[in-house]
Amino acid sequence: MEQAIYQLTNNILKALDDKYLVGGIFCDLTKAFDSVDHDILLGKLEFYGITGSANNVIRSYLKDTYQRVVIRNKFSSTYYSRWNKVMRWVPQGSVLGPLFFLIYVKDLPGVINQISLPTLFVDDTNIIGIHHNPNLFKEKIEEILLKISKWFQANLLTLNFNKTKLIQFSTKLNSDISIFMNYEHNHIENSQSTSFLGLTLDRSLNWQLHIDKICAKLKSGCYILRTLKPSLLMNNLKMIYFSYIHSTITYGIMFWGNSAGSDEVFKLQKRAIRIITNSHSSTSCRNLFKELNILPLQLQYILSLAVYVAKNI
């Protein structure tokens, strides 16, 4: 996850630093896992070297699968649909499902690598297009959309145009270009923000929209802590802290943790710490963090960067 977000944000920021116009197409696929064609997948596996017995095992896993619908009403009556053969699918909620889907879309970047900067993470796909010239920039975005749409059609995947978004990333120094994207009478929304792998990206990458969502979750977490504090021990409150607050703070912190709005998150983290320790609102949290063995926001940010660097050396 972190590698995909890093690749995306790095591509955008580098292009903006080089004074390019930058546009991102964030694709949404309709029933992505349920649309994977078995014959196409098995053919791609064979192309990548998975042949013979290994290919036959996967074939037996995917092929000759049947499903039906069972409905029970409040009168204890049960209705069954006919058994139907499943022609397209990879199992969701399994280890193999995302792996099969990644193999299925692995050749998509080869179609657009020469004209764009694609980032793929399972069924989350985004493509960045850049150019100095405003007119050629529009043409490039249109060309990217045309190529990926044809690839999706050839591989029996359906692009959901209602949820697919186009964002023109910019800085204060960049001028905006009006872009209206249509493909086969389908309009793609020109948006100010979108969600990618659980992070909210805005067109200037200042992370404020994402921080606003974090703060809303942290306020709910603080309310839960305050409500349950009279009934629970400190260790139980710490468990709630790590479940509701720590998990929210640490997700993607290496990207937004040093932004201007991160102070809002830190204030709410300190509020939670004071609730757990039953401290006054004016009490310094320096020793409270040590007492609870919890890292403050900035130290958690540094730790996440260090771990990421260590993993990618």
Side-chain angles (χ1 to χ4, degrees):
M1 180 277 294
E2 290 177 338
Q3 185 62 39
I5 299 174
Y6 172 79
Q7 180 181 334
L8 169 65
T9 54
N10 185 61
N11 287 339
I12 295 171
L13 293 174
K14 185 177 179 181
L16 290 174
D17 286 343
D18 292 337
K19 310 302 181 184
Y20 281 100
L21 295 168
V22 183
I25 301 175
F26 291 80
C27 302
D28 185 275
L29 298 176
T30 301
K31 298 181 179 179
F33 280 61
D34 294 331
S35 301
V36 173
D37 183 84
H38 295 161
D39 291 328
I40 295 177
L41 174 60
L42 291 167
K44 291 186 179 186
L45 288 168
E46 189 170 351
F47 175 79
Y48 293 131
I50 303 175
T51 59
S53 298
N55 194 284
N56 290 333
V57 169
I58 296 173
R59 181 184 298 272
S60 67
Y61 175 68
L62 295 173
K63 293 281 190 177
D64 298 324
T65 301
Y66 291 80
Q67 68 178 10
R68 69 175 179 178
V69 177
V70 179
I71 300 175
R72 294 185 177 90
N73 62 23
K74 63 181 180 180
F75 303 108
S76 301
S77 300
T78 304
Y79 303 92
Y80 302 90
S81 69
R82 293 181 179 180
W83 286 102
N84 288 314
K85 191 173 184 179
V86 180
M87 304 302 295
R88 300 184 198 173
W89 78 296
V90 289
Q92 298 190 51
S94 66
V95 175
L96 288 176
L99 177 61
F100 285 152
F101 192 85
L102 280 172
I103 294 172
Y104 196 78
V105 299
K106 183 177 174 61
D107 57 312
L108 171 59
V111 177
I112 51 176
N113 267 338
Q114 299 299 318
I115 58 172
S116 67
L117 303 167
T119 301
L120 275 66
F121 189 87
V122 193
D123 59 338
D124 284 293
T125 301
N126 70 79
I127 301 101
I128 300 299
I130 64 174
H131 209 284
H132 285 297
N133 186 293
N135 294 324
L136 296 179
F137 173 65
K138 289 183 181 180
E139 293 178 6
K140 174 165 281 192
I141 297 296
E142 291 172 354
E143 183 182 2
I144 292 170
L145 178 61
L146 177 64
K147 285 183 177 292
I148 63 172
S149 297
K150 287 184 176 179
W151 186 93
F152 285 135
Q153 289 176 356
N155 288 271
L156 305 182
L157 297 174
T158 304
L159 192 61
N160 186 342
F161 287 93
N162 292 327
K163 294 184 179 180
T164 296
K165 294 184 178 181
L166 170 66
I167 298 180
Q168 184 191 345
F169 295 96
S170 67
T171 63
K172 293 180 180 179
L173 300 178
N174 289 1
S175 57
D176 293 339
I177 306 292
S178 297
I179 303 177
F180 299 95
M181 298 297 300
N182 291 281
Y183 178 77
E184 294 185 351
H185 308 294
N186 294 298
H187 175 68
I188 293 182
E189 179 185 356
N190 199 333
S191 179
Q192 298 293 312
S193 65
T194 190
S195 179
F196 180 67
L197 298 179
L199 297 183
T200 302
L201 307 178
D202 57 72
R203 60 197 308 273
S204 60
L205 286 185
N206 63 21
W207 300 107
Q208 188 57 51
L209 290 178
H210 183 70
I211 287 173
D212 290 343
K213 291 185 177 181
I214 291 176
C215 289
K217 293 179 180 179
L218 296 189
K219 289 176 182 177
S220 297
C222 289
Y223 173 78
I224 292 171
L225 286 173
R226 186 177 290 107
T227 302
L228 296 178
K229 183 178 67 173
S231 307
L232 297 177
L233 299 174
M234 183 178 293
N235 285 338
N236 301 124
L237 294 174
K238 280 183 65 176
M239 290 177 61
I240 295 172
Y241 170 88
F242 280 104
S243 297
Y244 282 88
I245 295 178
H246 180 80
S247 59
T248 301
I249 289 176
T250 54
Y251 187 82
I253 190 175
M254 62 173 283
F255 303 104
W256 59 265
N258 200 37
S259 63
S262 62
D263 284 344
E264 302 171 37
V265 179
F266 186 43
K267 290 177 182 178
L268 288 169
Q269 185 191 27
K270 290 191 292 184
R271 182 189 297 180
I273 296 299
R274 293 187 178 110
I275 293 171
I276 293 172
T277 57
N278 199 28
S279 302
H280 192 269
S281 59
S282 61
T283 303
S284 172
C285 288
R286 183 184 298 271
N287 292 326
L288 300 182
F289 277 111
K290 293 180 182 179
E291 178 185 337
L292 296 175
N293 199 26
I294 293 174
L295 287 177
L297 178 72
Q298 286 303 316
L299 292 183
Q300 189 68 55
Y301 167 69
I302 294 170
L303 176 62
S304 68
L305 289 178
V307 170
Y308 179 81
V309 171
K311 286 181 178 179
N312 294 276
I313 290 178

